Amino acid sequence: MASENPLLDIPFDIPFDHIRAEHVVPAVDALIDDAQARLDAIVAVDGPRTFANTLGALEEATEKLGVMTTVVGHLESVATTPELREAYNEAIPKVSAFWSRIPLNSDLYAALKAYAETEDGKALEGPQARLLEKTLDEFRRHGANLADEEKEALHALDVELTRKTTRFAQNLLDETNAWDLVVTEESKLAGLPPSAKAAAKQAAEDKEVEGWRFTLQAPSYIAVMTYLDDAAIREQMWRAYNTRASSGERDNRGLIVEILKLRRQKAKRLGYADFADFVLEDRMAKSGEKAMAFVDDLRAKTQAAFDREKDELLAFRRELEGDDAPALQPWDVAYYAEKLRQSRYAFDEEELRPYFEVERVLEGLFALAGELYGIEVKRRDAPAWDEDVRCYGVHDGGEMIAAFYVDLHPRENKRGGAWMNALISGASLDEMGPHLGLFCANVTRPTKEGPALLRHSEVETLFHEFGHLLHHALSEVPIQSLAGTNVAWDFVELPSQIMENFCWERASLDHFARHHETGEPIPEALFAKMQKVRTYRAATAQMRQLGFATVDLRMHRELDPEALTPESMLAFARDVLDAHASAPVPDDYAMICGFNHLFASPTGYAAGYYSYKWAEVLDADAF
Ligand code: ZN
């Protein structure tokens, strides 16, 4: 009954109310067959190769499969059920296996190269020329130019890399979960806010122990580091956190050395000096050298402010505890920084909430986009995956150029965090159609007593995700795989981060930040406080990010993995991070063994951690 499966041919108004788990696997099988048949047809072209029968056909071959996979993946994140998860877990490996075989299809590669050599291929311009270049690059970067036995070797490296990085992530997860600390004397909990105390009590009850239980999960760990008066407990927990997976049976040190080796070997096989040059070739930075120069430059500009912040924090401690108070230890920094912040600004983020009623925030956000880009955002009717979800149209003149869904609040069947997703691209060489996308968040819900009043950081999140959505919705690039958010990774956060700036400007805030009862704008004194807090210890935060970016690039560029031991790797990482830390770290400091961004997947953020700062510089300049 193929015709009854809504996933086989997904229309613009996606029938979310008709998609069921049992549709997933048959749709995946059918659409993979369909895509494979289209690829075979490209290879079999008899007669002259043209854009339409070769490159354009390749672009279209996987379109339906792509949209279907995105829609199913989306439902798994916002409306999961045990049946859907099972179907998803069965289907996804088939889809990834299909994608990974495409660049190794040597007949297809030959067809593309043959097309590139035709007069038609050589005469391409603009986005079409870019598509040809990117497609050939992608095949080459996946080993299409290698001899068969070298392809095998490359494949073996990839398999091993997946195995080792998965192991890294599992070790870290197990180590994090294996540690806890139960405190039985309430007097030792001085300083901790009631919410953190209640969470610790609950965590103890869940394990059926007496007292208060603390873990290395972020909310528990951060609360202790920031607020707990007892320095000995802070030290114990800091040491546990920062030596995770660095010894014993879950030792990640050796795995890091192995991962660095595999990555270097992969880069060399593909003709690059090192893994950073391989990864960065198709990003804005272009090479490891340029990314490193960027990080070094930013560090030089941050150093003086960073040193001032360190001195200021020590001076503050001595104000509190006398001139002979000792230098700060790593487990003291967050604690005294919070005390200093409170004493200097007496700023409570909760004071801002009444000014950020969620409906007004959205209206203000859409009005701002209208002012900036000359568009109009209007509600529209469309089926959705939950009654909480709304749909909007983006209008330009008389035309609807895009539509998008907004899913704002937490639900049990929805994952955490905030994100944007592109569902359908209207990009086309003939006539652009409307784009379809969405953004999701997990912000404060309305209650029975009153409307949803957001924290300022939640407002920033909505602006950020809507910026990604606009990037997709306003795209005029006529080729799907190059349109919207399909840009270099170190650029993709510009359209989102630039929107955050408007949450800090009086002129834009006054449009939508109005007291939900009185309609008053944010009072001047509160606005001034919030501006000051924004840059409080910003150099320290920046230096920390630069430390991560530096250790990442230097490990993937400078280190010779063949000459590395677990001990020398750890010492190298420790020294680099120590130079960026607010207080000297101990010899066994092993943050690197818990650095998921770099080592929990074959590429992930490896040689790419600098991108956070890179995009921030771009958006600051552009704003
Ligand atoms: Zn983002």
Side-chain angles (χ1 to χ4, degrees), residues 5 19 61 305 309 368 371 436 468:
N5 189 333
I19 299 171
E309 287 175 3
L368 174 69
E371 228 173 287
L436 185 68
H468 283 308

Side-chain angles (χ1 to χ4, degrees), residues 201-222:
K201 184 95 204 158
Q202 186 63 49
E205 277 166 20
D206 292 347
K207 290 278 163 181
E208 295 176 356
V209 292
E210 288 294 314
W212 293 265
R213 179 170 170 264
F214 297 92
T215 70
L216 299 181
Q217 309 291 349
S220 179
Y221 177 74
I222 291 171

Side-chain angles (χ1 to χ4, degrees), residues 171-181 213 215-217 250:
N171 278 349
L172 182 62
L173 184 70
D174 293 349
E175 281 273 292
T176 304
N177 290 334
W179 191 93
D180 68 359
L181 172 72
R213 179 170 170 264
T215 70
L216 299 181
Q217 309 291 349
R250 292 184 290 253

Side-chain angles (χ1 to χ4, degrees), residues 397-473:
E399 197 190 345
M400 190 182 85
I401 57 169
F404 63 94
Y405 302 90
V406 180
D407 186 350
L408 288 176
H409 305 295
R411 283 190 307 276
E412 269 192 7
N413 57 356
K414 175 178 168 187
R415 76 171 163 91
W419 68 96
M420 169 271 176
N421 209 341
L423 293 169
I424 291 175
S425 166
S428 155
L429 286 172
D430 313 319
E431 199 190 353
M432 293 286 285
H435 304 295
L436 185 68
L438 60 95
F439 70 93
C440 289
N442 278 284
V443 299
T444 308
R445 257 190 184 288
T447 63
K448 283 197 195 81
E449 291 78 46
L453 302 177
L454 306 184
R455 278 186 290 123
H456 182 256
S457 56
E458 291 179 325
V459 176
E460 270 190 299
T461 299
L462 297 181
F463 274 58
H464 179 104
E465 299 307 335
F466 188 60
H468 283 308
L469 191 276
L470 284 171
H471 192 186
H472 174 61

Side-chain angles (χ1 to χ4, degrees), residues 579-621:
H580 297 80
S582 285
V585 297
D587 285 341
D588 63 350
Y589 179 69
M591 179 278 161
I592 199 73
C593 294
F595 206 168
N596 261 337
H597 279 79
L598 305 195
F599 300 113
S601 67
T603 303
Y605 271 87
Y609 199 89
Y610 76 92
S611 310
Y612 286 108
K613 283 290 150 197
W614 183 280
E616 230 179 294
V617 169
L618 293 179
D619 95 68
D621 280 351

